[in-house]
Amino acid sequence: MHGSKMCIDKDTYTHLITLIMKFLEEENFKESLQALEQESKIFFNVHRFGEIVMNGEWEKAEKYLSAFTKLDDSNHSKKMFFELRKHKYCEALCRHERTEADSIFRKDLKVFSVSQNRIDCELAELLALKDLRENEQLSGYTNATSSRAKLIDSLKLLVKENRILQDKLIFPCVNNSALSSLIKLICPSFEKETKEELIYLIHQFLNEEEFKETLHKLEQETRVFFDINYFREYITSGEWDNAEKYLSAFTNMNDNTYSAKMFSQIQRQKYLEAVDRQQKLPSDFAERAHLFDDFKVLVERNPMLQDKLKFPSMDKSRLLSLIKQIMDWWVPYCINVMPNANNETISLKDFPTVSNLRYASSILTDKPNQEGRPLDASSGDDSNDSSCFNDNNQSRESTSLPDADSAVCAKSLEKSVNLKLQLINEPSECRTLLLPDNSFGGRVVRLIYSHSGDFLVALTQTATHKLWKWQSNKQSLEEENVNMESQLYQPSSKLVMTNDIAADPKDSISCFALRGSHLFSASGGKISIFSLETFQTLATFANPPPIATYFILLPQDLFAFGFDDSSILVHCPCTKKTKAKLKGHQNRITCLAYSLSLNVLVSSGADAQLCVWDAVGWKKLCSKFLHSFQTGLVPETTIVNHIQFHPDQIHLLSIHEGQIDVYEAPTLNHTSQVLLISHIMFVQIVVKFHSFKFFYVAVGA
């Protein structure tokens, strides 16, 4: 599209323009928004056009209209231009400005008399007149406000009837902060409150797409980047009013001595060149070039400007690249199609709003390109993988898992070669902790840490539970010291937390979840709720079939249940209402994980598949099959044992008996993999996250 350096489809390009327009509207960058409407030509703002007409800004109104259609494009277009010029002429007559009115008639209206296209009867009648002042319509002309209001009504009708404009009249409904929210899905380090990074990305995009007017309007309204090269163009071409206007957006004469001198020189040179024109003296271009050298020194020394001269380095077409990645995933699932009468309008209102994702406060680099322009900035700080400005994840993109809905669902996946494999085959690379236990309860099948990390609960094959507690030592817990002392807890009541057991031992699939001091647990039968303080059974519910295989608690008192029939049920026990029933797996659900920041639910199954679900509309956003980087194949054992989110709410850990993988939600970009040379014979893995390091505890029979 246009001057873009990358291949991108029209719909994605249009979506990006729409999102930028929404951002400009939210930030009240009116001039930038109007310029982008005109230069992109995808949205004709009837309301804005009406405001311009009501203000009597006739040249501005015609310029806006001309961006979308030309006088000879159609009879409706011709009529619109005619009405604007006729009204401008009428108002000049009413102001008794005969000279101006005659000039308008000769320069603007006479052109319609030589048209070879057919026009309506009213226009033909007006053109037959030698002077529009003879027209009877002028006798009913009262005042500018009422006549302009009538003109706007007639123009709106012409706009709606104009085929060239009909598909550009309705702006899609978009969530607030939609653009920044989408970027956060790809770049978690993109801070919630920081607009400067987004402005830089938009600036680079506008520059590459050659939206010149929008670009420089944005510079003036945002004041984050002073384009010294653009300022030079005004100086060397002698456009002193434009130079002064551009400079005024960043500083004024009273700010400091540097600013005062710059404004004084502009006004002085403007006066001198006006005198030269009166005396018909030629312009001195060499003098202007020399003058700019003086201006450049003043700009670089000016405290109001010197921190606005550097533009961060970033990969080419960075914003387009980011939006293409997210649109490829998000649009097919999360755009509501809301056609108008002509079935031509879509709504983007389902774009997510993502909260702060707890990453570093800045993704900017201080390294500008040599010319201070964002044109060819391709180098940057490669130390930050999540930077929105530089794409340092080429190997990630080349190893993304295939879509589970595609035809490639068998065990022959394309082999990936770019990632360096990490192999664990030495005992010294693992750490173990033996918990004290003198009781009998069978093999451990499930483990879970408390949120604070001060106790651990185990569920055995015989449907009984055990609880170990650590001494209250915050520092030890934070350091995840496997040598700290623990004790098997037993309440004074001597009760044992025991689940309802499945009728058939083969159906004894165990699962549980913590909520405060309550434990929700099942072993193939009903789900039980226990008090962790007294071990008392507080309630039971959910008779099988199907058998619950995994469940977690979600916000708003919701439960997500995974079942052995491959379905997922989202249910509210308080209201006893089912919110959604999710279908996407081909085998039983093995684990569920929820990201609060992204507001998505991820499920894993015994079909080697991961699915991501939108927790608002409960649509499936994407799905990927597990595979090996080394062989390119889906593992023979297809069970994904466990998945869990990192505290950043983006990185997702997936555990299989032969490999450990890390993905980035919600797109499931595959970032790393650890192959286990000798398959671990385990029944459950408990994972604790600290920073970006993983701590595993494996428990066997």
Side-chain angles (χ1 to χ4, degrees):
M1 295 298 301
H2 299 278
S4 173
K5 301 297 189 296
M6 65 177 296
C7 180
I8 189 168
D9 63 277
K10 181 180 178 181
D11 288 341
T12 299
Y13 183 87
T14 301
H15 287 320
L16 177 53
I17 297 291
T18 301
L19 291 167
I20 292 175
M21 286 183 177
K22 179 64 175 177
F23 170 78
L24 297 177
E25 179 188 47
E26 291 171 355
E27 299 302 318
N28 201 30
F29 299 148
K30 293 182 178 179
E31 292 191 10
S32 302
L33 176 57
Q34 181 178 319
L36 184 56
E37 289 168 357
Q38 294 174 226
E39 292 188 303
S40 66
K41 308 181 192 309
I42 68 170
F43 174 58
F44 185 91
N45 193 327
V46 178
H47 178 72
R48 188 185 314 284
F49 183 62
E51 286 183 341
I52 297 172
V53 172
M54 183 58 73
N55 293 335
E57 301 174 272
W58 306 113
E59 285 74 17
K60 190 174 181 179
E62 187 161 330
K63 179 182 178 183
Y64 190 87
L65 180 60
S66 299
F68 298 88
T69 183
K70 305 303 178 186
L71 186 147
D72 294 326
D73 282 347
S74 68
N75 287 338
H76 290 96
S77 297
K78 186 187 300 292
K79 178 69 171 175
M80 292 181 70
F81 282 102
F82 177 79
E83 290 296 331
L84 287 172
R85 297 178 184 184
K86 183 186 75 172
H87 209 88
K88 180 171 67 170
Y89 169 78
C90 293
E91 289 200 3
L93 284 180
C94 289
R95 294 193 304 269
H96 304 291
E97 297 176 356
R98 300 284 180 171
T99 302
E100 181 182 352
D102 290 340
S103 175
I104 295 171
F105 184 79
R106 291 193 308 272
K107 295 179 180 179
D108 297 336
L109 288 170
K110 282 287 187 179
V111 65
F112 295 97
S113 64
V114 297
S115 174
Q116 296 179 354
N117 294 331
R118 294 188 60 185
I119 53 178
D120 58 34
C121 296
E122 178 191 357
L123 185 56
E125 187 177 286
L126 290 172
L127 290 176
L129 297 172
K130 295 181 179 178
D131 192 322
L132 285 179
R133 284 171 289 185
E134 302 173 8
N135 193 287
E136 294 181 359
Q137 292 180 353
L138 295 179
S139 61
Y141 191 89
T142 55
N143 60 63
T145 302
S146 60
S147 62
R148 289 175 187 173
K150 292 178 182 178
L151 173 62
I152 291 170
D153 290 339
S154 64
L155 289 173
K156 285 182 178 179
L157 292 176
L158 290 170
V159 167
K160 292 178 181 179
E161 295 171 356
N162 194 329
R163 292 184 178 181
I164 298 174
L165 302 177
Q166 283 176 346
D167 63 342
K168 306 178 189 295
L169 301 181
I170 299 180
F171 190 81
C173 180
V174 186
N175 281 359
N176 290 335
S177 305
L179 180 56
S180 59
S181 294
L182 286 173
I183 292 177
K184 287 177 203 171
L185 298 180
I186 296 293
C187 303
S189 63
F190 192 79
E191 276 293 308
K192 177 182 178 182
E193 301 299 334
T194 302
K195 298 171 186 173
E196 193 168 297
E197 291 104 333
L198 183 53
I199 291 170
Y200 281 130
L201 288 169
I202 294 173
H203 190 288
Q204 185 210 37
F205 167 76
L206 295 174
N207 187 68
E208 290 182 342
E209 298 302 307
E210 299 181 355
F211 291 139
K212 296 301 184 183
E213 184 176 356
T214 311
L215 175 69
H216 300 305
K217 292 291 186 184
L218 186 65
E219 289 168 354
Q220 294 172 71
E221 290 188 300
T222 60
R223 301 178 181 90
V224 300
F225 178 62
F226 185 89
D227 191 336
I228 188 68
N229 292 334
Y230 182 63
F231 185 63
R232 175 174 57 188
E233 291 175 9
Y234 281 146
I235 299 298
T236 55
S237 62
E239 298 178 66
W240 303 110
D241 287 338
N242 288 332
E244 186 171 9
K245 181 179 179 181
Y246 188 78
L247 182 62
S248 298
F250 298 87
T251 184
N252 60 67
M253 183 176 288
N254 298 323
D255 282 340
N256 54 59
T257 57
Y258 300 102
S259 296
K261 190 170 183 179
M262 292 177 71
F263 281 104
S264 297
Q265 287 190 5
I266 289 176
Q267 294 164 6
R268 176 178 178 274
Q269 194 67 19
K270 178 181 175 182
Y271 170 77
L272 292 176
E273 292 197 6
V275 173
D276 289 344
R277 284 193 297 271
Q278 289 180 351
Q279 298 177 0
K280 298 183 179 180
L281 297 176
S283 300
D284 190 342
F285 296 102
E287 175 64 24
R288 291 175 183 171
H290 178 73
L291 184 62
F292 172 73
D293 292 338
D294 295 337
F295 275 118
K296 185 177 181 181
V297 173
L298 292 172
V299 167
E300 292 173 348
R301 294 179 179 178
N302 194 325
M304 301 296 295
L305 301 176
Q306 57 190 195
D307 64 337
K308 297 176 174 62
L309 301 177
K310 296 180 180 180
F311 197 93
S313 292
M314 63 181 80
D315 293 340
K316 292 181 180 179
S317 306
R318 189 60 181 144
L319 185 56
L320 273 174
S321 176
L322 291 171
I323 293 301
K324 187 177 187 304
Q325 290 180 54
I326 199 65
M327 287 292 183
D328 287 346
W329 161 72
W330 192 266
V331 170
Y333 300 99
C334 296
I335 286 188
N336 282 347
V337 178
M338 299 177 62
N340 60 8
N342 298 317
N343 292 322
E344 295 172 340
T345 303
I346 63 170
S347 169
L348 309 183
K349 69 178 183 179
D350 278 342
F351 280 149
T353 299
V354 184
S355 60
N356 184 12
L357 299 180
R358 308 180 212 171
Y359 267 73
S361 61
S362 177
I363 59 172
L364 302 183
T365 63
D366 291 327
K367 182 180 180 181
N369 58 34
Q370 293 180 353
E371 296 181 0
R373 292 293 298 271
L375 292 174
D376 300 310
S378 59
S379 62
D381 183 0
D382 292 331
S383 62
N384 191 344
D385 283 347
S386 59
S387 170
C388 280
F389 287 175
N390 297 285
D391 189 354
N392 304 313
N393 303 317
Q394 296 179 1
S395 60
R396 292 184 186 180
E397 294 176 3
S398 65
T399 56
S400 295
L401 296 182
D403 195 313
D405 294 330
S406 68
V408 192
C409 294
K411 295 186 178 181
S412 57
L413 301 178
E414 182 177 355
K415 185 176 179 180
S416 302
V417 296
N418 289 333
L419 282 186
K420 181 179 180 181
L421 301 179
Q422 303 177 41
L423 305 180
I424 294 181
N425 51 24
E426 294 294 333
S428 61
E429 297 181 61
C430 303
R431 303 184 71 178
T432 60
L433 170 63
L434 182 63
L435 299 175
D437 183 9
N438 296 322
S439 63
F440 296 94
R443 183 165 59 95
V444 173
V445 292
R446 291 288 177 187
L447 288 172
I448 190 171
Y449 270 107
S450 66
H451 180 71
S452 58
D454 56 351
F455 68 84
L456 178 71
V457 181
L459 174 59
T460 69
Q461 194 174 28
T462 59
T464 60
H465 300 81
K466 300 178 182 181
L467 187 151
W468 287 269
K469 289 188 175 184
W470 278 266
Q471 297 296 326
S472 180
N473 186 332
K474 184 177 181 181
Q475 182 177 359
S476 296
L477 292 175
E478 289 178 349
E479 295 175 354
E480 299 173 332
N481 187 351
V482 297
N483 297 318
M484 54 190 173
E485 296 182 2
S486 61
Q487 63 180 33
L488 183 65
Y489 174 74
Q490 180 66 46
S492 58
S493 63
K494 304 297 182 181
L495 292 176
V496 177
M497 295 183 288
T498 306
N499 282 336
D500 180 37
I501 301 177
D504 187 346
K506 295 181 180 180
D507 296 332
S508 297
I509 299 176
S510 303
C511 53
F512 59 6
L514 283 174
R515 184 176 187 178
S517 60
H518 294 153
L519 176 69
F520 295 75
S521 183
S523 298
K526 297 179 182 179
I527 298 174
S528 302
I529 305 176
F530 299 101
S531 167
L532 291 176
E533 296 178 355
T534 64
F535 286 8
Q536 181 183 0
T537 302
L538 303 179
T540 59
F541 63 97
N543 288 324
I547 297 172
T549 57
Y550 203 92
F551 51 84
I552 61 172
L553 293 97
L554 303 176
Q556 300 179 348
D557 295 322
L558 295 179
F559 275 79
F561 299 91
F563 294 100
D564 64 344
D565 66 353
S566 78
S567 67
I568 301 171
L569 191 70
V570 181
H571 182 76
C572 180
C574 298
T575 62
K576 298 183 179 180
K577 292 183 178 180
T578 298
K579 295 290 185 179
K581 188 171 184 179
L582 313 179
K583 284 284 189 179
H585 288 273
Q586 285 80 49
N587 208 327
R588 65 179 174 88
I589 306 300
T590 59
C591 196
L592 299 169
Y594 173 75
S595 168
L596 180 63
S597 295
L598 296 178
N599 200 21
V600 296
L601 177 71
V602 182
S603 58
S604 64
D607 54 358
Q609 188 181 179
L610 301 177
C611 295
V612 181
W613 310 87
D614 167 33
V616 177
W618 297 109
K619 301 175 184 177
K620 187 170 76 168
L621 303 180
C622 67
S623 56
K624 305 287 182 179
F625 276 98
L626 201 69
H627 80 297
S628 167
F629 286 154
Q630 194 172 54
T631 66
L633 302 177
V634 173
E636 291 185 5
T637 303
T638 59
I639 299 174
V640 180
N641 295 86
H642 187 79
I643 57 175
Q644 183 170 333
F645 272 105
H646 186 282
D648 66 15
Q649 300 287 284
I650 295 293
H651 291 84
L652 180 78
L653 185 73
S654 169
I655 300 173
H656 177 269
E657 68 173 29
Q659 64 191 61
I660 298 171
D661 300 89
V662 178
Y663 303 88
E664 286 182 345
T667 56
L668 292 181
N669 286 334
H670 205 168
T671 64
S672 60
Q673 182 177 91
V674 177
L675 296 182
L676 307 172
I677 299 301
S678 298
H679 287 188
I680 294 178
M681 300 302 295
F682 62 88
V683 291
Q684 175 64 25
I685 288 183
V686 176
V687 184
K688 285 198 70 179
F689 291 91
H690 180 70
S691 184
F692 282 92
K693 300 177 181 177
F694 303 122
F695 175 63
Y696 313 100
V697 178
V699 179

